Amino acid sequence: MGVNSSKPSIQTWKRGPTQEEKDEEYYDEAMANAERELAEDAEWKRIQENTFTRWTNEHLRQAGSSINDLETDFSNGLKLIALLEVLSGKKMPRHNKKAHI
């Protein structure tokens, strides 16, 4: 009888990713997609803010006022009241003209 001189082959088993690793990969991909969408939304938001600020200032000029930043300049409500008065053509009822927040 012939003797088999070759060594038995050793199979290497490559394990697949665990569920935790799959979940992490999915999460990373989802976060990357969300960041891309936010970057696109940021440009759109900036354009909208600039457009509304210009529109607002166009109307506020009639009241001798203007804004630079929507969030801060409308924060106490006084410039918003001025805008409403210009748009409606009516004076608002009594309000505190020295409001502070």
Side-chain angles (χ1 to χ4, degrees):
M1 276 192 182
V3 178
N4 188 353
S5 63
S6 66
K7 294 182 181 179
S9 66
I10 299 175
Q11 290 183 343
T12 54
W13 293 89
K14 185 175 182 181
R15 78 170 173 86
T18 64
Q19 185 61 43
E20 185 177 317
E21 290 169 332
K22 289 178 186 177
D23 291 345
E24 187 175 323
E25 184 178 326
Y26 175 80
Y27 176 78
D28 290 344
E29 185 178 327
M31 287 300 293
N33 288 338
E35 287 174 2
R36 273 193 297 277
E37 289 175 11
L38 284 174
E40 293 169 3
D41 287 349
E43 177 66 14
W44 178 85
K45 182 181 177 189
R46 187 186 63 76
I47 291 169
Q48 294 299 312
E49 283 181 2
N50 288 340
T51 302
F52 185 69
T53 300
R54 284 193 309 272
W55 178 85
T56 300
N57 282 330
E58 187 176 310
H59 292 287
L60 282 176
R61 268 190 226 110
Q62 295 174 28
S65 188
S66 67
I67 62 169
N68 294 314
D69 185 293
L70 290 172
E71 291 181 34
T72 58
D73 292 342
F74 281 149
S75 65
N76 67 6
L78 295 177
K79 292 192 180 192
L80 182 58
I81 290 171
L83 179 62
L84 290 173
E85 288 177 343
V86 168
L87 293 174
S88 69
K90 299 177 183 176
K91 286 287 183 188
M92 297 298 287
R94 279 182 56 160
H95 59 275
N96 184 358
K97 293 185 179 184
K98 295 181 182 180
H100 38 233
I101 294 180

